[in-house]
Amino acid sequence: MKILLIGAGNMGGAMLEGLADYDVTVVESRSSRREELAGRYPEITLLDHIPSLDGYVVLLAIKPQSLSSLDTEGEAVALISILAGTPLAKLREHIAAKAYIRAMPNIAALKRKSVTSVTGDESFKAEALEILSTIGKAIWLSSEKELDIATGIGGSAPAWMALVAEALADGAVNLGLPRGVSYEYVAALMDGMGALLEEEHPALLKDKVMSPGGTTAAGYAALEEGGVRDSFIKAMEACYRRSLELGK
């Protein structure tokens, strides 16, 4: 399977980590970025222009606002777009392909631990999931509405989790724990909780840790007082609204 990655910025570049087993051609306009990628991935082909799409599965990783100015020729085997808020109907207007897929990976693709939301034409479902599973866990969704909702929890939430990580570390530093040690704790904490959450409901995990009148209960009460739960719910709503705005 031949893959044409158009755009190798933060997200497109992160996806390259998992695509090593494919025949990959990368289109990147910045010469400095092409030189960087050539040193890191000597086996890939790097271009400064878009070739004919014939015979390629195209991975589109440009900025959404750049779609209208994209100039392409030929018909792709399939188009997999990671453009936030860009509906399938708009993709069909600008790029010719036999099948269309929308996907939303996250930056953990760098470690092949992305959780990637996927939807689109059922005719290319199996192949899309196979490709996107190389960078982590790929979840097929039944509609574009579900994908726009999942953009928050799958695509944007890593930034929010980084905020949580930084806040926890700052709290520990404020009390006297060294910053390096604090970050070490936070990284291990998130990794361990991810494994546990694959097997057990979060409310049950919380109840196992929070004993009556204990330290966890005291901290939990402080979080509720600060409206942390409400803030995350509102963050999801804001992300969804913005995704819809980008699609207009």
Side-chain angles (χ1 to χ4, degrees):
M1 192 181 301
K2 293 170 57 181
I3 292 178
L4 179 67
L5 174 64
I6 302 178
N10 288 337
M11 197 63 255
M15 296 179 74
L16 280 173
E17 282 293 321
L19 298 174
D21 293 336
Y22 291 95
D23 179 359
V24 180
T25 297
V26 176
V27 177
E28 173 55 52
S29 60
R30 296 169 296 165
S31 59
S32 59
R33 181 61 168 161
R34 290 198 304 275
E35 290 175 7
E36 178 186 351
L37 293 174
R40 189 180 303 173
Y41 306 105
E43 71 281 1
I44 66 174
T45 301
L46 290 155
L47 301 175
D48 61 359
H49 64 282
I50 301 175
S52 170
L53 305 185
D54 293 338
Y56 284 109
V57 173
V58 175
L59 271 174
L60 190 62
I62 60 176
K63 296 184 182 301
Q65 57 267 32
S66 300
L67 177 62
S68 59
S69 60
L70 205 63
D71 186 20
T72 63
E73 296 181 356
E75 182 181 37
V77 173
L79 172 67
I80 301 175
S81 166
I82 66 168
L83 277 58
T86 306
L88 294 168
K90 184 175 289 188
L91 295 170
R92 291 189 178 97
E93 292 175 2
H94 293 282
I95 299 177
K98 294 181 174 67
Y100 294 84
I101 298 289
R102 279 184 66 188
M104 181 52 59
N106 66 40
I107 198 64
L110 275 169
K111 299 296 184 180
R112 298 195 184 191
K113 289 192 174 184
S114 172
V115 56
T116 305
S117 307
V118 192
T119 195
D121 291 332
E122 292 275 349
S123 61
F124 201 72
K125 174 181 175 179
E127 293 87 345
L129 290 175
E130 176 187 317
I131 293 169
L132 295 167
S133 291
T134 64
I135 58 170
K137 185 178 183 67
I139 300 175
W140 184 265
L141 300 171
S142 62
S143 69
E144 291 191 82
K145 178 180 179 180
E146 287 188 357
L147 186 137
D148 285 328
I149 294 170
T151 292
I153 197 167
S156 299
W160 311 338
M161 296 308 294
L163 176 64
V164 171
E166 185 180 36
L168 287 171
D170 284 346
V173 170
N174 181 55
L175 293 170
L177 200 65
R179 183 163 295 279
V181 174
S182 299
Y183 282 136
E184 188 175 355
Y185 268 105
V186 170
L189 166 71
M190 291 194 168
D191 186 52
M193 285 305 298
L196 288 171
L197 286 168
E198 289 184 345
E199 301 176 355
E200 192 159 13
H201 192 283
L204 296 177
L205 283 174
K206 178 206 69 176
D207 288 350
K208 284 182 177 180
V209 178
M210 192 164 67
S211 56
T215 57
T216 304
Y220 193 89
L223 290 171
E224 289 288 14
E225 184 179 352
V228 171
R229 182 194 298 264
D230 182 59
S231 293
F232 276 117
I233 292 172
K234 287 179 178 175
M236 284 292 300
E237 292 173 351
C239 188
Y240 176 58
R241 288 195 302 270
R242 183 58 178 156
S243 182
L244 296 180
E245 289 170 2
L246 289 171
K248 291 180 180 178

